[in-house]
Amino acid sequence: MIDWIVPDWPAPANVDAIFTTRNIGAAENRGIYAGLNLASHVDDDPLIVQQNRNQLRQYLPDHPRWLTQVHGSQPVWVDSSNETLELEADAAMSRRPGVVCAVLVADCLPVLLCDMAGSVVGVAHAGWRGLAGGVIENTVRELRRFSSSDRIIAWLGPAISSRHFEVGDEVREVFTQYDHRAACAFLPGKEAGKWYANLFDLARQRLSHAGVNQVYGGDLCTFSNPEQFYSYRRDGKTGRMAGLLWMTQPAGMQ
């Protein structure tokens, strides 16, 4: 049985979501990638990664629509793609039952989204570059184009907490130039010109700008829990977890 986290949010009955941890993977996987590494772009053995993906697939309605993530702000609809085609984007969206949207993370923030009608779902890969570039706003905007409801809710998955995420002046300036209230998401670092950034708070602010005010999660740190989570900032070379969500049936049939 794969170990995962089930989001605690009031999603419609036809919306399912999980966030994988690094626990339980291919028995051969050892060292820095030990556990359920799902990323094919790191230096892990491709055969082991495929074993891990196959193991995960047993619990899903279809193969996840993996993306080629570039720390950008582009969302993409994955309804017409398949498991052999990795689109270049940093958010996946669907309006078809059974299509599994997915992002890979290891400190960056996975933001799961759905409307309260259960007609659209999406998941965004939101590191500081993606947040600053508007990946959340762009994804929410696209979801609303096809949503049957004005209400969209969000769940913030595990990511690096502010206690461990030190950035420079230039990162803080990007956010405060967009909205001066973003300053409250930064605390002074150990030396001049350094700041501890709160990705969860920055995401909540961006969600608020996008009109999403029901936001859940945002309380699990990847850096401080090496037994459960991979962390790029902590370990450098490491594996990746996945945030995944999908609809089980058409809206209105639950």
Side-chain angles (χ1 to χ4, degrees):
M1 177 68 179
I2 291 177
D3 181 55
W4 60 55
I5 294 167
V6 177
D8 183 11
W9 63 336
N14 71 321
V15 174
D16 282 348
I18 61 173
F19 182 84
T20 66
T21 73
R22 70 179 301 175
N23 295 329
I24 312 300
E28 300 86 352
N29 218 1
R30 297 286 188 267
I32 59 176
Y33 300 114
L36 192 75
N37 170 41
L38 296 167
S40 61
H41 67 283
V42 297
D43 291 332
D44 199 358
D45 185 331
L47 293 178
I48 292 180
V49 174
Q50 192 57 55
Q51 287 181 47
N52 287 339
R53 289 186 172 190
N54 291 343
Q55 190 176 355
L56 174 63
R57 169 68 181 88
Q58 299 175 42
Y59 303 96
L60 304 173
D62 199 356
H63 293 277
R65 301 315 201 256
W66 303 112
L67 304 174
T68 297
Q69 298 168 196
V70 293
H71 293 276
S73 59
Q74 179 66 39
V76 63
W77 293 99
V78 295
D79 293 328
S80 60
S81 66
N82 57 55
E83 66 272 16
T84 64
L85 176 66
E86 293 194 10
L87 301 173
E88 185 174 293
D90 281 274
M93 306 169 295
S94 174
R95 51 186 189 272
R96 283 181 49 200
V99 175
V100 181
C101 300
V103 294
L104 294 168
V105 292
D107 283 340
C108 289
L109 176 64
V111 182
L112 278 60
L113 300 154
C114 72
D115 70 347
M116 290 307 291
S119 64
V120 290
V121 294
V123 57
H125 162 241
W128 76 261
R129 290 179 179 83
L131 283 172
V135 68
I136 285 178
E137 295 94 321
N138 294 343
T139 305
V140 171
R141 186 181 307 113
E142 274 296 298
L143 290 174
R144 282 209 169 102
R145 289 181 57 210
F146 297 95
S147 172
S148 300
S149 169
D150 290 335
R151 288 177 59 202
I152 291 179
I153 64 173
W155 181 77
L156 308 181
I160 189 169
S161 65
S162 60
R163 181 180 177 183
H164 302 289
F165 189 40
E166 193 173 39
V167 299
D169 278 333
E170 71 283 358
V171 175
R172 182 176 183 271
E173 289 173 5
V174 166
F175 287 96
T176 55
Q177 286 176 3
Y178 176 83
D179 184 344
H180 70 276
R181 291 172 295 183
C184 66
F186 294 86
L187 294 176
K190 295 179 180 178
E191 56 188 72
K194 296 293 184 180
W195 303 86
Y196 289 110
N198 191 319
L199 284 177
F200 301 115
D201 282 353
L202 292 170
R204 291 185 184 98
Q205 290 176 359
R206 292 302 182 116
L207 285 162
S208 179
H209 281 298
V212 178
N213 298 307
Q214 284 184 259
V215 183
Y216 305 87
D219 56 0
L220 293 174
C221 174
T222 49
F223 186 103
S224 60
N225 191 344
E227 293 185 356
Q228 192 173 22
F229 302 123
Y230 297 111
S231 169
Y232 181 81
R233 179 64 71 106
R234 181 189 65 226
D235 300 326
K237 294 181 67 173
T238 191
R240 300 292 188 274
M241 296 87 61
L244 310 108
L245 82 166
W246 62 94
M247 292 178 288
T248 59
Q249 55 192 341
M253 291 185 63
Q254 60 268 28

mmCIF file of all heavy atoms in Angstrom, residues 45-64:
data_model
loop_
_atom_site.group_PDB
_atom_site.id
_atom_site.type_symbol
_atom_site.label_atom_id
_atom_site.label_comp_id
_atom_site.label_asym_id
_atom_site.label_seq_id
_atom_site.Cartn_x
_atom_site.Cartn_y
_atom_site.Cartn_z
ATOM 1 N N ASP A 45 17.373 5.695 -11.290
ATOM 2 C CA ASP A 45 17.283 4.644 -12.297
ATOM 3 C C ASP A 45 15.919 4.709 -12.981
ATOM 4 O O ASP A 45 14.881 4.575 -12.304
ATOM 5 C CB ASP A 45 17.467 3.287 -11.618
ATOM 6 C CG ASP A 45 17.509 2.124 -12.580
ATOM 7 O OD1 ASP A 45 16.882 2.203 -13.653
ATOM 8 O OD2 ASP A 45 18.163 1.111 -12.259
ATOM 9 N N PRO A 46 15.854 4.912 -14.301
ATOM 10 C CA PRO A 46 14.567 5.026 -15.005
ATOM 11 C C PRO A 46 13.662 3.819 -14.795
ATOM 12 O O PRO A 46 12.432 3.967 -14.741
ATOM 13 C CB PRO A 46 14.975 5.172 -16.470
ATOM 14 C CG PRO A 46 16.356 5.702 -16.431
ATOM 15 C CD PRO A 46 16.994 5.105 -15.216
ATOM 16 N N LEU A 47 14.236 2.644 -14.690
ATOM 17 C CA LEU A 47 13.424 1.441 -14.497
ATOM 18 C C LEU A 47 12.744 1.453 -13.124
ATOM 19 O O LEU A 47 11.589 1.046 -12.989
ATOM 20 C CB LEU A 47 14.287 0.189 -14.645
ATOM 21 C CG LEU A 47 14.846 -0.074 -16.049
ATOM 22 C CD1 LEU A 47 15.724 -1.322 -16.047
ATOM 23 C CD2 LEU A 47 13.711 -0.217 -17.062
ATOM 24 N N ILE A 48 13.460 1.954 -12.117
ATOM 25 C CA ILE A 48 12.879 2.043 -10.779
ATOM 26 C C ILE A 48 11.787 3.105 -10.744
ATOM 27 O O ILE A 48 10.729 2.910 -10.137
ATOM 28 C CB ILE A 48 13.970 2.328 -9.734
ATOM 29 C CG1 ILE A 48 14.899 1.121 -9.607
ATOM 30 C CG2 ILE A 48 13.350 2.669 -8.384
ATOM 31 C CD1 ILE A 48 16.019 1.298 -8.612
ATOM 32 N N VAL A 49 12.030 4.235 -11.394
ATOM 33 C CA VAL A 49 11.001 5.280 -11.465
ATOM 34 C C VAL A 49 9.739 4.726 -12.114
ATOM 35 O O VAL A 49 8.615 4.975 -11.643
ATOM 36 C CB VAL A 49 11.517 6.510 -12.240
ATOM 37 C CG1 VAL A 49 10.394 7.525 -12.429
ATOM 38 C CG2 VAL A 49 12.684 7.152 -11.504
ATOM 39 N N GLN A 50 9.903 3.963 -13.181
ATOM 40 C CA GLN A 50 8.738 3.386 -13.853
ATOM 41 C C GLN A 50 8.028 2.386 -12.953
ATOM 42 O O GLN A 50 6.790 2.322 -12.937
ATOM 43 C CB GLN A 50 9.154 2.709 -15.165
ATOM 44 C CG GLN A 50 7.974 2.338 -16.054
ATOM 45 C CD GLN A 50 7.104 3.541 -16.391
ATOM 46 O OE1 GLN A 50 7.588 4.554 -16.905
ATOM 47 N NE2 GLN A 50 5.810 3.438 -16.088
ATOM 48 N N GLN A 51 8.792 1.610 -12.175
ATOM 49 C CA GLN A 51 8.168 0.713 -11.208
ATOM 50 C C GLN A 51 7.322 1.500 -10.207
ATOM 51 O O GLN A 51 6.207 1.094 -9.860
ATOM 52 C CB GLN A 51 9.244 -0.079 -10.461
ATOM 53 C CG GLN A 51 9.924 -1.164 -11.264
ATOM 54 C CD GLN A 51 10.957 -1.905 -10.422
ATOM 55 O OE1 GLN A 51 10.694 -2.296 -9.281
ATOM 56 N NE2 GLN A 51 12.155 -2.074 -10.974
ATOM 57 N N ASN A 52 7.872 2.615 -9.732
ATOM 58 C CA ASN A 52 7.136 3.442 -8.777
ATOM 59 C C ASN A 52 5.869 4.014 -9.407
ATOM 60 O O ASN A 52 4.801 4.038 -8.780
ATOM 61 C CB ASN A 52 8.029 4.576 -8.274
ATOM 62 C CG ASN A 52 9.106 4.096 -7.320
ATOM 63 O OD1 ASN A 52 8.998 3.029 -6.724
ATOM 64 N ND2 ASN A 52 10.162 4.889 -7.177
ATOM 65 N N ARG A 53 5.978 4.458 -10.653
ATOM 66 C CA ARG A 53 4.800 4.998 -11.335
ATOM 67 C C ARG A 53 3.764 3.910 -11.572
ATOM 68 O O ARG A 53 2.553 4.162 -11.448
ATOM 69 C CB ARG A 53 5.219 5.658 -12.655
ATOM 70 C CG ARG A 53 5.988 6.960 -12.463
ATOM 71 C CD ARG A 53 6.260 7.658 -13.791
ATOM 72 N NE ARG A 53 6.830 8.980 -13.595
ATOM 73 C CZ ARG A 53 6.988 9.881 -14.568
ATOM 74 N NH1 ARG A 53 6.628 9.584 -15.810
ATOM 75 N NH2 ARG A 53 7.509 11.069 -14.293
ATOM 76 N N ASN A 54 4.218 2.726 -11.906
ATOM 77 C CA ASN A 54 3.286 1.616 -12.106
ATOM 78 C C ASN A 54 2.585 1.248 -10.802
ATOM 79 O O ASN A 54 1.393 0.907 -10.794
ATOM 80 C CB ASN A 54 4.017 0.393 -12.653
ATOM 81 C CG ASN A 54 4.511 0.586 -14.075
ATOM 82 O OD1 ASN A 54 4.064 1.478 -14.788
ATOM 83 N ND2 ASN A 54 5.460 -0.242 -14.496
ATOM 84 N N GLN A 55 3.333 1.319 -9.710
ATOM 85 C CA GLN A 55 2.762 1.034 -8.403
ATOM 86 C C GLN A 55 1.670 2.043 -8.066
ATOM 87 O O GLN A 55 0.578 1.685 -7.596
ATOM 88 C CB GLN A 55 3.861 1.056 -7.343
ATOM 89 C CG GLN A 55 3.436 0.550 -5.970
ATOM 90 C CD GLN A 55 4.612 0.501 -5.003
ATOM 91 O OE1 GLN A 55 5.753 0.746 -5.375
ATOM 92 N NE2 GLN A 55 4.323 0.192 -3.749
ATOM 93 N N LEU A 56 1.940 3.314 -8.319
ATOM 94 C CA LEU A 56 0.955 4.365 -8.084
ATOM 95 C C LEU A 56 -0.272 4.191 -8.969
ATOM 96 O O LEU A 56 -1.407 4.382 -8.532
ATOM 97 C CB LEU A 56 1.596 5.733 -8.332
ATOM 98 C CG LEU A 56 0.676 6.954 -8.262
ATOM 99 C CD1 LEU A 56 0.095 7.128 -6.864
ATOM 100 C CD2 LEU A 56 1.430 8.214 -8.697
ATOM 101 N N ARG A 57 -0.032 3.812 -10.214
ATOM 102 C CA ARG A 57 -1.124 3.683 -11.196
ATOM 103 C C ARG A 57 -2.219 2.729 -10.721
ATOM 104 O O ARG A 57 -3.409 2.906 -11.062
ATOM 105 C CB ARG A 57 -0.531 3.204 -12.536
ATOM 106 C CG ARG A 57 -1.554 2.762 -13.580
ATOM 107 C CD ARG A 57 -2.388 3.928 -14.084
ATOM 108 N NE ARG A 57 -3.359 3.486 -15.061
ATOM 109 C CZ ARG A 57 -4.585 3.042 -14.762
ATOM 110 N NH1 ARG A 57 -4.981 2.977 -13.496
ATOM 111 N NH2 ARG A 57 -5.419 2.657 -15.721
ATOM 112 N N GLN A 58 -1.889 1.752 -9.912
ATOM 113 C CA GLN A 58 -2.868 0.782 -9.441
ATOM 114 C C GLN A 58 -4.005 1.431 -8.655
ATOM 115 O O GLN A 58 -5.097 0.870 -8.556
ATOM 116 C CB GLN A 58 -2.191 -0.269 -8.559
ATOM 117 C CG GLN A 58 -1.121 -1.091 -9.237
ATOM 118 C CD GLN A 58 -0.429 -2.028 -8.263
ATOM 119 O OE1 GLN A 58 -1.072 -2.661 -7.416
ATOM 120 N NE2 GLN A 58 0.892 -2.098 -8.354
ATOM 121 N N TYR A 59 -3.750 2.613 -8.107
ATOM 122 C CA TYR A 59 -4.735 3.272 -7.252
ATOM 123 C C TYR A 59 -5.443 4.436 -7.955
ATOM 124 O O TYR A 59 -6.217 5.155 -7.319
ATOM 125 C CB TYR A 59 -4.042 3.783 -5.981
ATOM 126 C CG TYR A 59 -3.345 2.692 -5.220
ATOM 127 C CD1 TYR A 59 -1.979 2.464 -5.395
ATOM 128 C CD2 TYR A 59 -4.038 1.865 -4.348
ATOM 129 C CE1 TYR A 59 -1.330 1.447 -4.704
ATOM 130 C CE2 TYR A 59 -3.396 0.848 -3.654
ATOM 131 C CZ TYR A 59 -2.040 0.643 -3.837
ATOM 132 O OH TYR A 59 -1.400 -0.369 -3.161
ATOM 133 N N LEU A 60 -5.175 4.598 -9.237
ATOM 134 C CA LEU A 60 -5.719 5.727 -9.994
ATOM 135 C C LEU A 60 -6.603 5.237 -11.133
ATOM 136 O O LEU A 60 -6.434 4.117 -11.619
ATOM 137 C CB LEU A 60 -4.570 6.572 -10.564
ATOM 138 C CG LEU A 60 -3.543 7.109 -9.562
ATOM 139 C CD1 LEU A 60 -2.393 7.781 -10.309
ATOM 140 C CD2 LEU A 60 -4.193 8.075 -8.592
ATOM 141 N N PRO A 61 -7.522 6.073 -11.610
ATOM 142 C CA PRO A 61 -8.384 5.665 -12.726
ATOM 143 C C PRO A 61 -7.665 5.628 -14.069
ATOM 144 O O PRO A 61 -8.151 5.010 -15.020
ATOM 145 C CB PRO A 61 -9.488 6.728 -12.727
ATOM 146 C CG PRO A 61 -8.856 7.927 -12.108
ATOM 147 C CD PRO A 61 -7.920 7.389 -11.069
ATOM 148 N N ASP A 62 -6.525 6.272 -14.180
ATOM 149 C CA ASP A 62 -5.765 6.294 -15.428
ATOM 150 C C ASP A 62 -4.334 6.712 -15.108
ATOM 151 O O ASP A 62 -4.018 7.084 -13.981
ATOM 152 C CB ASP A 62 -6.398 7.286 -16.429
ATOM 153 C CG ASP A 62 -5.973 7.033 -17.864
ATOM 154 O OD1 ASP A 62 -5.136 6.137 -18.092
ATOM 155 O OD2 ASP A 62 -6.464 7.740 -18.769
ATOM 156 N N HIS A 63 -3.456 6.662 -16.117
ATOM 157 C CA HIS A 63 -2.095 7.150 -15.929
ATOM 158 C C HIS A 63 -2.121 8.664 -15.681
ATOM 159 O O HIS A 63 -2.853 9.394 -16.362
ATOM 160 C CB HIS A 63 -1.252 6.866 -17.167
ATOM 161 C CG HIS A 63 -1.003 5.407 -17.405
ATOM 162 N ND1 HIS A 63 -0.005 4.707 -16.766
ATOM 163 C CD2 HIS A 63 -1.634 4.512 -18.216
ATOM 164 C CE1 HIS A 63 -0.021 3.451 -17.161
ATOM 165 N NE2 HIS A 63 -1.000 3.297 -18.043
ATOM 166 N N PRO A 64 -1.345 9.158 -14.731
ATOM 167 C CA PRO A 64 -1.265 10.616 -14.543
ATOM 168 C C PRO A 64 -0.744 11.299 -15.794
ATOM 169 O O PRO A 64 0.088 10.750 -16.519
ATOM 170 C CB PRO A 64 -0.260 10.760 -13.389
ATOM 171 C CG PRO A 64 -0.302 9.454 -12.672
ATOM 172 C CD PRO A 64 -0.534 8.425 -13.742
#
